[in-house]
């Protein structure tokens, strides 16, 4: 998606109060992982997750894998927020807002 620069705010706030304290911890983990500041870490993680999910879906749809192999891969790739399930097709479910 290409946006007009006038549509982009100067900053974006991520709430970390009122039960959202876990967000700060996750952003800190990402900053450590990417070895960068929190702002870049959040952006890198957002950039990567859509591609990782698309790539995982592609792997799980491979016809050269057995259903059992695809189920094992789906279990390994599932996280607390993204769950992959394999039946005759591949479904991805996100669990948080």
């Amino acid at each position: 998606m290409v946006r007009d620069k006038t549509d982009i705010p100067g900053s974006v706030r991520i709430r970390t109060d009122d039960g959202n304290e876990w967000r700060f911890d996750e952003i800190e983990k990402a900053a450590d992982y990417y070895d960068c500041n929190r702002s870049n870490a959040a952006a890198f993680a957002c950039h990567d997750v859509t591609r990782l999910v698309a790539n995982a879906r592609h792997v799980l749809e491979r016809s050269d894998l057995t259903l059992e192999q695809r189920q094992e891969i789906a279990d390994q790739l599932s996280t607390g927020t993204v769950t992959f399930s394999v039946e005759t097709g591949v479904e991805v479910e996100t669990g948080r807002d």
Side-chain angles (χ1 to χ4, degrees), residues 66-96:
T66 66
L67 180 59
E68 183 179 336
Q69 288 170 321
R70 289 186 291 166
Q71 287 173 330
E72 288 175 11
I73 293 167
D75 290 343
Q76 288 292 313
L77 295 175
S78 294
T79 66
T81 351
V82 176
T83 303
F84 293 92
S85 61
V86 179
E87 292 174 11
T88 55
V90 175
E91 294 188 25
V92 178
E93 181 179 316
T94 58
R96 295 194 180 158

Side-chain angles (χ1 to χ4, degrees), residues 13-38:
R13 185 173 114 170
I14 298 174
R15 295 195 57 115
T16 58
D17 60 351
D18 297 329
N20 295 310
E21 294 82 4
W22 64 272
R23 292 176 177 176
F24 184 77
D25 293 333
E26 295 303 320
I27 293 168
E28 285 287 300
K29 288 178 197 173
D32 288 343
Y33 176 80
Y34 289 110
D35 191 25
C36 64
N37 64 44
R38 290 188 294 265

Side-chain angles (χ1 to χ4, degrees), residues 2-64:
V2 177
R3 293 184 185 267
D4 183 313
K5 289 188 178 192
T6 60
D7 293 339
I8 300 173
S11 65
V12 176
R13 185 173 114 170
I14 298 174
R15 295 195 57 115
T16 58
D17 60 351
D18 297 329
N20 295 310
E21 294 82 4
W22 64 272
R23 292 176 177 176
F24 184 77
D25 293 333
E26 295 303 320
I27 293 168
E28 285 287 300
K29 288 178 197 173
D32 288 343
Y33 176 80
Y34 289 110
D35 191 25
C36 64
N37 64 44
R38 290 188 294 265
S39 294
N40 282 341
F44 293 157
C46 291
H47 174 85
D48 287 348
V49 72
T50 56
R51 283 156 184 80
L52 288 169
V53 169
N55 291 342
R57 178 184 285 262
H58 179 74
V59 167
L60 292 170
E61 290 174 340
R62 288 178 35 185
S63 61
D64 63 324

